[in-house]
C-alpha cells in the first residue's frame, strides 16, 4: 500500500478548460424569500444543514449536563426527575432530529440528483415541504423542552409514557409524529428520482455506492417509519382518551408497544448508518485512488441490511418475557445481519490494499469510522447472544455499543462527508491542518468517552441512573473527561468551516481528483446542475491504476 499526501486544488491552480461561472445556486438570489420558498435541492440541503446543526448542539448540551452529573457518585447536580428529562431530551434530539435526517437530508439531498445526472429531485416542492414538516416537528419538540421536558426516555415505553408520566409526553410525541412524515417524503422522493431520472448510460451497476446506500435507506424510511409513527400516535391517544391499547388495567398490552416501536427503531439504526456507509464507500475509493473492491457485494449488502433489519426487532426484548424459542430465532437473525455489514468492512479494507492512500481530513474520518464501527458491530454480537444480553441488558454496555455505532459510525462518516463535499457545496476550501487536528481530537475524545462505559456496564452499572456506587467513579470521570475533549473536537470544525465561507481559498471543480458526476460541474454548482444532461459511458470509480515510479538509475 503506497501512501501519499496531496493538497486540494484551489481554483487558481486548477487546469480547467471552462471559466468559473459567475452565477451559482448560492448567489443567484439573496433574499429570505428566495431561500424559504426555494425548490432547488441544493438550497434545501443547506436549510437542513443549518437546522440539523442547531438540533445537534442542542442535543449535545443535554449530553454535557448528563456527563457533569455523572462526574461524582452522588446525585448532587440535579434531581432524579430532572436527570430523567436530560437523557430523554438528549436521545430525542439526537435520534429523531439529528442522526436520522443528517446524511440523507443534507448530503443525500445535495448530491443524489447531481450524482445521477439530474437537474433536481423528482418532486422539488415535496422536498421543500418535507423540510417544513421537519421544522414543525422540531418546534413542537423544542416547545415541549421549554415547557418542562419529557422523562420517558427516547423509547417512550408504555405504560409509563401512556399512563404515569407527568411530563410533556403528548407534545413531544406530536413533534416526533410530524417529523416522521418528513422522513417518509424524503425517502419517497429519493426512490422515484433514482428510478426515473438517471442520466443516459447510468445503469444500476454504474451508480455510486452512495446512491445505492440511500436507495436502501429510503426503502426502510417508507416501510418502517409509518409503524413507529402510528405507535407513538397510539401512545398519545391512550394518554388522552384511556382507550386501553397498552394499559393492562384496561385490557391492553404494554409489550405490544415494544413490538411496534422496535419493528421500526431497529431498522432506524440502519436509516442512520446505511447512508454513513455510502459516504465511507466514496471516501475510501477516492483517497485510495483505486476502484472499489467488490462493488456488487457492497451494493447488494446495503439492500440485505435493509431487508434483514426488519427481522431482528425481538432482540431488544430478550428480558421482556417473550418465548425462549422466539428469542433464539431473533438471536440467530441478529447474527445474520452482521454478515452484510462485515462484507462492507472487508471490501473497504481490500480497497485500501495496494491503493495509493492519502491521509486528508475526510480519509482520517473514514479510517476512524472503520475502527469504531467494527468495535460497535462486534459488541453488537454480544448483545445478540441471549445469555450475555440478559447479563448486560439496560447497563452502560448497551449505551457504549449504541454510541460506537451511532457516534463512532454515523457522525464520523457525516463529518467525513461534510469535509469531502464542502468544497463542492460552498466553493471554498477549509484549512486542512485544522481539519486533520479536529479529526484526531474527535477520535481520541470519543474513545475516552465511551470505551470506559463498556467496562462500567459490564461491571453492572445500569444506565439512566444519576447516582452510582463509588467504585464506578474513576471510569465515569474518564468518560466525562473524554466528553469534554469530544465537545471541543466538534466545535473546531464548526469554527473553521464558518471561517472558510469568507476566507477560504476558492475550490476547483475537482479538488480531490475524484470520479463521479458531481466533480465534473463547477464548485459551487449552478442552479440547474448541468447545462446539458451528461451521458455516462464508464463504470463508477474508474481511477487510473497507480504505477510505481521507476528511477532512471534503475532503467539504466
Amino acid at each position: 500500500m503506497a501512501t501519499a499526501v496531496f493538497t486540494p486544488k484551489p481554483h487558481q491552480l486548477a487546469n480547467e478548460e471552462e471559466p468559473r461561472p459567475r452565477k451559482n445556486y448560492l448567489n443567484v438570489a439573496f433574499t429570505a424569500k428566495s431561500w424559504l420558498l426555494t425548490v432547488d435541492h441544493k438550497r434545501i440541503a443547506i436549510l437542513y444543514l443549518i437546522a440539523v446543526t442547531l438540533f445537534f448542539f442542542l442535543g449535545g448540551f443535554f449530553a454535557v449536563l448528563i456527563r457533569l452529573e455523572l462526574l461524582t457518585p452522588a446525585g448532587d447536580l440535579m434531581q432524579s426527575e430532572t436527570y430523567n428529562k436530560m437523557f430523554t431530551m438528549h436521545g430525542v434530539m439526537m435520534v429523531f432530529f439529528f442522526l436520522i435526517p443528517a446524511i440523507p437530508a443534507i448530503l443525500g439531498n445535495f448530491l443524489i440528483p447531481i450524482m445521477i445526472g439530474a437537474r433536481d429531485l423528482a418532486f422539488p416542492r415535496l422536498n421543500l415541504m418535507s423540510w417544513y414538516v421537519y421544522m414543525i416537528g422540531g418546534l413542537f419538540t423544542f416547545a415541549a423542552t421549554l415547557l418542562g421536558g419529557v422523562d420517558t426516555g427516547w423509547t417512550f415505553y408504555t405504560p409509563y409514557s401512556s399512563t404515569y408520566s407527568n411530563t410533556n409526553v403528548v407534545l413531544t410525541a406530536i413533534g416526533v409524529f410530524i417529523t416522521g412524515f418528513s422522513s417518509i417524503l424524503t425517502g419517497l422522493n429519493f426512490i422515484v428520482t433514482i428510478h426515473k431520472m438517471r442520466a443516459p448510460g447510468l445503469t444500476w451497476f454504474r451508480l455510486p455506492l452512495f446512491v445505492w446506500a440511500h436507495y436502501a435507506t429510503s426503502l426502510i424510511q417508507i416501510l418502517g417509519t409509518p409503524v413507529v409513527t402510528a405507535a407513538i400516535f397510539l401512545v398519545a391517544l391512550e394518554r388522552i382518551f384511556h382507550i386501553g391499547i397498552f394499559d393492562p388495567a384496561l385490557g391492553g398490552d404494554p409489550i405490544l408497544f415494544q413490538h411496534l416501536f422496535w419493528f421500526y427503531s431497529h431498522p432506524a439504526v440502519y436509516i442512520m448508518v446505511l447512508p454513513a456507509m455510502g459516504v465511507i464507500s466514496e471516501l475510501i475509493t477516492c483517497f485510495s485512488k483505486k476502484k472499489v473492491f467488490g462493488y456488487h457485494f457492497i451494493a447488494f449488502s446495503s439492500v440485505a441490511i435493509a431487508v434483514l433489519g426488519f427481522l431482528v426487532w425481538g432482540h431488544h426484548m430478550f428480558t421482556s418475557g417473550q418465548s425462549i424459542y422466539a428469542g433464539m430465532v431473533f438471536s440467530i437473525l441478529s447474527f445474520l445481519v452482521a454478515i452484510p455489514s462485515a462484507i462492507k468492512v472487508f471490501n473497504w479494507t481490500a480497497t485500501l490494499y495496494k491503493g495509493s492512500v492519502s491521509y486528508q481530513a475526510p480519509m482520517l474520518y473514514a479510517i476512524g469510522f472503520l475502527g469504531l464501527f467494527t468495535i460497535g458491530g462486534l459488541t453488537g454480537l454480544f448483545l445478540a447472544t441471549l445469555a450475555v444480553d440478559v447479563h448486560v441488558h439496560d447497563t452502560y454496555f448497551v449505551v457504549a455499543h449504541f454510541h460506537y455505532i451511532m457516534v463512532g459510525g454515523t457522525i464520523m462518516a457525516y463529518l467525513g462527508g461534510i469535509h469531502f463535499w464542502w468544497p463542492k457545496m460552498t466553493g471554498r476550501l477549509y484549512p486542512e491542518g485544522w481539519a486533520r487536528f479536529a479529526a484526531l481530537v474527535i477520535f481520541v475524545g470519543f474513545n475516552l468517552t465511551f470505551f470506559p462505559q463498556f467496562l462500567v456496564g459490564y461491571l453492572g452499572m445500569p444506565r439512566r441512573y444519576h447516582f452510582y456506587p463509588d467504585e464506578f467513579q474513576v471510569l465515569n470521570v474518564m468518560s466525562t473527561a473524554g466528553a469534554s475533549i469530544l465537545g471541543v473536537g466538534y466545535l473546531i470544525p464548526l469554527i473553521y468551516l464558518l471561517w472558510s465561507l469568507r476566507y477560504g481559498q476558492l475550490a476547483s471543480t475537482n479538488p480531490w481528483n475524484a470520479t463521479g458526476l458531481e466533480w465534473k460541474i463547477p464548485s459551487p454548482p449552478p442552479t440547474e446542475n448541468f447545462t446539458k444532461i451528461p451521458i455516462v459511458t464508464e463504470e463508477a470509480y474508474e481511477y487510473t491504476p497507480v504505477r510505481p515510479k521507476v528511477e532512471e538509475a534503475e532503467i539504466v
Side-chain angles (χ1 to χ4, degrees), residues 237-417:
L237 287 181
E238 176 90 337
R239 192 172 172 84
I240 297 170
F241 300 110
H242 308 290
I243 299 173
I245 302 170
F246 303 122
D247 186 353
L250 300 174
D253 182 1
I255 301 299
L256 173 62
F257 176 81
Q258 292 192 36
H259 280 290
L260 294 172
F261 182 83
W262 288 115
F263 179 79
Y264 162 80
S265 292
H266 193 82
V269 170
Y270 302 116
I271 289 178
M272 302 177 223
V273 81
L274 265 174
M277 292 170 163
V279 171
I280 296 303
S281 295
E282 302 297 321
L283 299 185
I284 293 283
T285 185
C286 173
F287 291 99
S288 301
K289 289 294 176 280
K290 186 181 167 200
K291 192 169 185 175
V292 70
F293 182 86
Y295 171 94
H296 291 78
F297 284 96
I298 296 180
F300 283 123
S301 66
S302 294
V303 179
I305 288 172
V307 173
L308 291 172
F310 278 108
L311 306 177
V312 300
W313 79 91
H315 74 221
H316 293 274
M317 301 161 60
F318 285 157
T319 59
S320 68
Q322 71 178 2
S323 156
I324 187 67
Y325 299 107
M328 289 171 62
V329 170
F330 282 122
S331 175
I332 293 169
L333 288 170
S334 300
F335 274 90
L336 202 60
V337 80
I339 295 175
S341 299
I343 287 172
K344 286 182 183 295
V345 174
F346 172 79
N347 283 283
W348 291 327
T349 309
T351 303
L352 292 172
Y353 179 64
K354 290 190 175 179
S356 179
V357 178
S358 59
Y359 297 102
Q360 304 308 112
M363 187 59 166
L364 295 184
Y365 282 109
I367 293 171
F369 172 97
L370 286 179
L372 302 180
F373 176 76
T374 301
I375 293 173
L378 290 175
T379 51
L381 297 180
F382 286 58
L383 298 174
T385 309
L386 271 166
V388 179
D389 183 81
V390 170
H391 174 67
V392 298
H393 189 83
D394 267 347
T395 69
Y396 263 89
F397 190 93
V398 178
V399 176
H401 157 73
F402 183 71
H403 283 80
Y404 262 81
I405 295 291
M406 294 295 96
V407 182
T410 302
I411 297 184
M412 291 293 278
Y414 171 68
L415 289 173

Side-chain angles (χ1 to χ4, degrees), residues 461-480:
M461 178 173 168
R463 60 177 177 172
R464 299 183 174 179
Y465 281 72
H466 76 308
F467 53 87
Y468 53 84
D470 293 346
E471 65 198 77
F472 296 142
Q473 184 174 15
V474 172
L475 292 170
N476 272 291
V477 168
M478 290 174 65
S479 192
T480 300

Side-chain angles (χ1 to χ4, degrees), residues 522-546:
S523 306
T527 300
E528 69 277 12
N529 295 342
F530 302 94
T531 51
K532 290 189 297 186
I533 295 298
I535 298 174
V536 179
T537 57
E538 62 181 21
E539 308 297 318
Y541 315 116
E542 285 292 347
Y543 287 99
T544 304
V546 177

Side-chain angles (χ1 to χ4, degrees), residues 458-515:
Y458 189 77
L459 291 173
M461 178 173 168
R463 60 177 177 172
R464 299 183 174 179
Y465 281 72
H466 76 308
F467 53 87
Y468 53 84
D470 293 346
E471 65 198 77
F472 296 142
Q473 184 174 15
V474 172
L475 292 170
N476 272 291
V477 168
M478 290 174 65
S479 192
T480 300
S484 305
I485 296 171
L486 187 60
V488 172
Y490 287 143
L491 285 174
I492 296 173
L494 179 69
I495 294 169
Y496 66 68
L497 289 178
L498 289 175
W499 175 89
S500 74
L501 292 175
R502 184 172 179 84
Y503 301 105
Q505 282 188 299
L506 296 177
S508 68
T509 294
N510 190 359
W512 308 114
N513 290 325
T515 64

